[in-house]
Amino acid sequence: MTVAVERPEETGTDAPDPPPRTGRPLVVAAILVLWLLLFAVLRGRHTLSLAAADLTDLHRWFNDVNDSIGADRNSNPLFLYFFNEIRLVIDTLVTFVQELISQPGAGRPVPQIGWLGVVGLTGYVSWAVGNWRVALLAVAGFTFLGLQGLWQESMDTLALTLSAVLVALLLAIPLGVWAGLSDRVHRIVTPFLDFMQTMPTFVYLAPLTLFFLIGPASATIATLIYAAPPAIRITAHAIRSVPTTTVEAADSLGATRRQTLTKVLLPMSARTVVMGVNQTIMAALAMVTVAALIDAPGLGKTVVQALQSLDVGTAFNAGLAIVVMAIVLDRVTTAASARQEAARHAHGRTAAWRRPLLGGGAAVTAVLVYLSHTYVWAAEFPGEGGVGSAISRGADTVTTWAQDHLSGLTNAFRDALTTGLLNPFQTLLTDSPWWLVGAALVALGAVLGGRRAGVTTVVCAGLLVGTGLWSDSMTTLASTVVATVLVMVLGIVLGVWMGRSALVDRLLRPTLDAAQVMPPFVYLVPFLALFGATRFTAIVAAVVYAAPVAVKIVADGVRNVPAATVEAATSAGCTTWQIVTKVQLPMARSALTLATNQGLIYVLSMVVVGGLVGAGALGYDVVAGFSQGQLYGKGLAAGLAIVLLGVMFDRITQAAARRTSA
C-alpha cells in the first residue's frame, strides 16, 4: 500500500508541524536503555514467579467454579434449558454425521456410507461444483487417506469439520448479509470479529469445556465459533462491494428489498461468499485438529498422542493426512468459487453436455453409495494401511539419520540462537521486577501506538499480574517476540525479493498459499525430528507457520510502491540496495507494521501447540489444565493470559500501523 506524504504547504493551515518520525526510535531506545540500567540494579526482585504445581487463589476459584458447575449441571435451569440443550443439538448432529460416514451406526458394524460411497460422493460433488481435475484430486486424496491406514480417523475429522461448518454458515452468512446491508450492524460486529480473530485457537477450548464438557460437542462448538468470523466478514464485504449503481438500477425498476437481495446482491457476490466458505472450512479443519486436546476424535488426536510420546513417524503420517484433507477441501472450494464467477459471466448458462453427464454421474454415485451401505468390502477400507506404515517407517528412518548426522549443525544453530538471543531476552523479562517490565511495556505501547494503545497495555499488564502467571507470561512473551523477529527477517528478505521480481512471486506464492492451508500441528513434526522436544522446536515451528502471511504482506507493500518513484531513484544513480532500503521499505512501512501485527498473532496462536513439545510456560499450563483436573483453573488462567498478550500485541501494532500510514 502506498503511503501518502502530506506537505506542509498543502494543508492549508498554520498548525505546527508534527514531530519528526526519527524521534520515536530515539524514545524507544531511551526506554530500553533505562530498563537495562534498572534491571542491573534490581535483578531478581519482585518477579512474581510461581512453581509449576502451585496454584493461586484465582486458580483455586476457577477449580471451584468448575466443580460447582459440574455438580449443578443437571439441576440448574440455565444448564437444563440452555447449555445442555445446545450441547444435545450439536451432539446429535455430530453423532448423525459420524454414523453416516465414520462410526458404526445403530445395529451396524460399519457406518451408513462406507469408504467407496464417500469417495464416490467426494468425486461427484467436486466435479459438480468445480471441474474434473479437482474431482480427480479429491478421489485420489481420499483414497490416499485410506491407504495410510487412517480412514476412520480422517472421516471423524471430516465429520466434525462438516458439522461445525454447517452450523457456522447457517449463522454466519445471514449475519454477514445483515452487516453488509446495515452500516450500524457492520459497526457493531466489526470489533467483535476483530477480537475473535485475534484470539489464538486454543483459547476457545478451556471456557467452553466449563459449559459443554470435554468431548466432540465442545470441540464442534469451539470450532464453529472460531470458524464463523471469516464467513461473516467476507460475506459482509461481498455485499458491500456490489456497485451502488447496480443496486440503484434495480430500485428504479421497482424491485423490492427482498428482490434486490436475492436477484442482485447475492448473485453478484456469490464468488466472494464462496471464498468465505473456503476460509471457514480451513479454519474449522485447523480448529478440529487442535480440539483433540479436549477429546475430539480424528487425526488431531493421533497427532497429539504421537507428539506426547515423541513418535515422529506416526505424527508425520497423521500430519500428512491432515495436509491432504486440507488441500482437497481448499481446492474444491476454490474451484467452486471460480465456477461461480464463470457462471455469472455466462449469465447462468451451462454447456449442453454437462447436465446429462451430471445426471449419469449422480446415478453412478448412487450405486457406489448403495454398495458401500450393503457390502462390508465396500464399507471397510481394504488392506492394513501398508502405505501409512511405510511412511511412518520412512519418517523414523529420516529422523534417526538427521539426529545422527545433522545433530551437530542443528544443535549449534539451536544453541547459538538460544544462548545469544532467547535466554538474555527471557532473563530480562523474567528477572526484572514485574512493575519495571509493566512500566516498560506501557511506555513502549504509548510511544509506538499512541495513548489508547498505552491505556490498553496498562489494562492488559494489570490483568496479567492478576492471573498469577506473570513469570510464565513473560517467558511466553520472550519466545513470541524472538519468533516474531525471525518472522520479520524472513518476511522482509523474501517479501522484497517477491515484490521486486514477478518470476519469484509466481514461484513462491503457491508454496506460501499451500503453507497457510496447513493446520498448526503439522509444523511441529519435522522440527521435532530435527531439534527434539525443546522450546526451540516450538519457536522454529511458529516462525515457519507465521512467515507465509508476513512474506505476502511485505511483498504486496513493496509492489505497491509507485513505479515512478523507483524509476526516479534509479535515474538518480541509486544502487539496488539503496532503492530497497531508502525508497521501497520506507514507503512500505505501513505494510511492514501490518506484517508484524499478523506475524505476532500467528506466532502467539502456536504457543499452546508448542506446549506439547517442551515449550513450557503458558502453553504447558494450558495443556496441563486439560489433562490434570487439579490444574484446570491454572490452565484457564493461562488461556486468559494468552488472550491478554494477544490483545496487547494487536492493539499496539494496529495503532502503530495507523500512525505509520497517517
Side-chain angles (χ1 to χ4, degrees):
M1 56 188 70
T2 304
V3 179
V5 180
E6 187 178 49
R7 296 182 176 83
E9 63 270 23
E10 295 174 345
T11 61
T13 68
D14 294 326
D17 292 339
R21 295 183 186 273
T22 54
R24 199 175 301 163
L26 292 178
V27 175
V28 170
I31 293 171
L32 295 176
V33 169
L34 180 60
W35 182 5
L36 289 172
L37 291 175
L38 292 175
F39 166 75
V41 177
L42 303 171
R43 180 174 182 175
R45 303 179 187 177
H46 309 129
T47 58
L48 301 182
S49 59
L50 186 71
D54 290 346
L55 301 178
T56 67
D57 291 339
L58 177 65
H59 306 158
R60 296 186 185 93
W61 183 77
F62 280 150
N63 283 337
D64 292 340
V65 169
N66 186 36
D67 295 339
S68 176
I69 289 176
D72 297 340
R73 189 176 301 277
N74 295 320
S75 58
N76 190 305
L78 183 62
F79 281 89
L80 281 176
Y81 304 111
F82 184 69
F83 291 118
N84 288 359
E85 291 298 319
I86 293 176
R87 184 175 185 275
L88 178 62
V89 170
I90 297 298
D91 201 34
T92 301
L93 173 63
V94 172
T95 301
F96 170 75
V97 179
Q98 283 183 308
E99 290 182 352
L100 195 63
I101 63 173
S102 65
Q103 297 286 348
R108 289 173 57 85
V110 292
Q112 297 292 331
I113 302 176
W115 76 270
L116 190 62
V118 171
V119 170
L121 279 171
T122 302
Y124 178 73
V125 171
S126 302
W127 177 40
V129 303
N131 53 62
W132 64 269
R133 296 182 184 86
V134 172
L136 287 178
L137 173 66
V139 169
F142 272 58
T143 303
F144 182 71
L145 297 176
L147 295 174
Q148 288 181 274
L150 296 171
W151 179 259
Q152 181 169 328
E153 292 86 344
S154 301
M155 292 304 100
D156 279 329
T157 297
L158 182 63
L160 264 64
T161 301
L162 293 179
S163 301
V165 168
L166 175 63
V167 179
L169 293 180
L170 287 176
L171 298 174
I173 290 182
L175 183 56
V177 170
W178 193 13
L181 296 174
S182 170
D183 291 338
R184 178 180 297 177
V185 174
H186 188 262
R187 287 195 300 270
I188 292 173
V189 302
T190 297
F192 289 99
L193 298 179
D194 291 340
F195 180 72
M196 292 173 69
Q197 291 191 288
T198 298
M199 291 196 297
T201 53
F202 281 96
V203 172
Y204 292 89
L205 302 182
L208 286 174
T209 58
L210 271 176
F211 303 104
F212 301 106
L213 298 177
I214 289 177
S218 291
T220 305
I221 294 170
T223 300
L224 70 90
I225 293 174
Y226 179 73
I232 298 172
R233 191 186 294 275
I234 294 175
T235 301
H237 171 73
I239 296 295
R240 299 174 77 86
S241 298
V242 174
T244 55
T245 54
T246 304
V247 178
E248 292 170 355
D251 291 338
S252 66
L253 293 174
T256 63
R257 294 190 65 182
R258 182 184 183 88
Q259 289 172 327
T260 301
L261 176 63
T262 57
K263 303 295 184 181
V264 178
L265 292 173
L266 287 178
M268 293 191 68
S269 59
R271 180 183 182 184
T272 307
V273 172
V274 175
M275 289 175 58
V277 174
N278 169 275
Q279 293 301 302
T280 299
I281 291 174
M282 292 298 101
L285 181 60
M287 188 64 175
V288 162
T289 55
V290 168
L293 285 175
I294 57 172
D295 204 30
L299 295 168
K301 178 176 285 189
T302 304
V303 175
V304 169
Q305 293 172 346
L307 290 175
Q308 290 175 334
S309 61
L310 303 182
D311 185 353
V312 175
T314 301
F316 182 82
N317 188 42
L320 180 60
I322 295 173
V323 172
V324 169
M325 182 174 291
I327 290 174
V328 169
L329 295 177
D330 178 61
R331 292 298 177 264
V332 169
T333 49
T334 302
S337 175
R339 177 165 287 280
Q340 285 287 339
E341 182 69 10
R344 188 170 74 85
H345 288 301
H347 304 289
R349 295 189 301 270
T350 58
W353 52 266
R354 183 169 173 80
R355 292 185 184 275
L357 282 180
L358 286 174
V364 172
T365 303
V367 171
L368 296 178
V369 170
Y370 170 77
L371 292 174
S372 70
H373 178 77
T374 307
Y375 299 101
V376 174
W377 63 266
E380 294 181 345
F381 200 93
E384 300 294 331
V387 172
S389 299
I391 292 173
S392 297
R393 289 194 301 271
D396 286 332
T397 301
V398 171
T399 299
T400 302
W401 182 89
Q403 292 172 346
D404 290 341
H405 295 82
L406 301 179
S407 59
L409 178 63
T410 57
N411 290 344
F413 177 62
R414 180 192 65 196
D415 295 342
L417 188 61
T418 301
T419 57
L421 182 60
L422 180 58
N423 285 348
F425 187 48
Q426 181 174 315
T427 300
L428 176 64
L429 287 170
T430 57
D431 287 3
S432 293
W434 67 269
W435 51 265
L436 175 59
V437 179
L441 291 176
V442 170
L444 291 172
V447 171
L448 296 175
R451 184 176 59 186
R452 290 185 178 179
V455 172
T456 301
T457 307
V458 169
V459 174
C460 291
L463 292 176
L464 281 173
V465 174
T467 63
L469 296 172
W470 177 264
S471 182
D472 283 355
S473 298
M474 292 304 99
T475 301
T476 296
L477 175 61
S479 298
T480 302
V481 172
V482 169
T484 304
V485 170
L486 297 177
V487 166
M488 289 309 300
V489 170
L490 281 176
I492 291 174
V493 172
L494 296 180
V496 169
W497 196 15
M498 289 176 60
R500 291 178 54 85
S501 171
L503 175 61
V504 174
D505 187 271
R506 286 196 300 270
L507 292 175
L508 290 184
R509 192 167 290 270
T511 303
L512 298 178
D513 292 340
Q516 286 189 273
V517 170
M518 293 190 292
F521 272 152
V522 176
Y523 290 89
L524 287 176
V525 179
F527 299 111
L528 178 64
L530 284 174
F531 301 108
T534 65
R535 58 179 175 166
F536 183 78
T537 300
I539 290 175
V540 176
V543 170
V544 178
Y545 177 64
V549 65
V551 170
K552 290 164 69 173
I553 292 174
V554 173
D556 291 340
V558 171
R559 189 178 299 106
N560 288 335
V561 173
T565 305
V566 177
E567 291 172 0
T570 304
S571 64
C574 293
T575 64
T576 300
W577 175 256
Q578 291 173 324
I579 291 173
V580 171
T581 57
K582 303 296 184 182
V583 178
Q584 290 177 314
L585 286 179
M587 295 189 70
R589 56 179 172 264
S590 59
L592 295 177
T593 311
L594 178 60
T596 304
N597 171 272
Q598 292 301 296
L600 276 168
I601 299 304
Y602 272 68
V603 167
L604 196 59
S605 69
M606 285 285 285
V607 164
V608 183
V609 180
L612 296 171
V613 292
L618 295 178
Y620 171 80
D621 293 334
V622 174
V623 174
F626 288 133
S627 58
Q628 303 176 42
Q630 72 274 16
L631 296 179
Y632 178 84
K634 191 173 186 179
L636 195 60
L640 175 60
I642 294 171
V643 172
L644 293 171
L645 288 175
V647 171
M648 183 171 65
F649 285 148
D650 183 63
R651 292 299 176 264
I652 292 174
T653 50
Q654 281 201 24
R658 288 192 295 269
R659 296 182 71 181
T660 301
S661 60

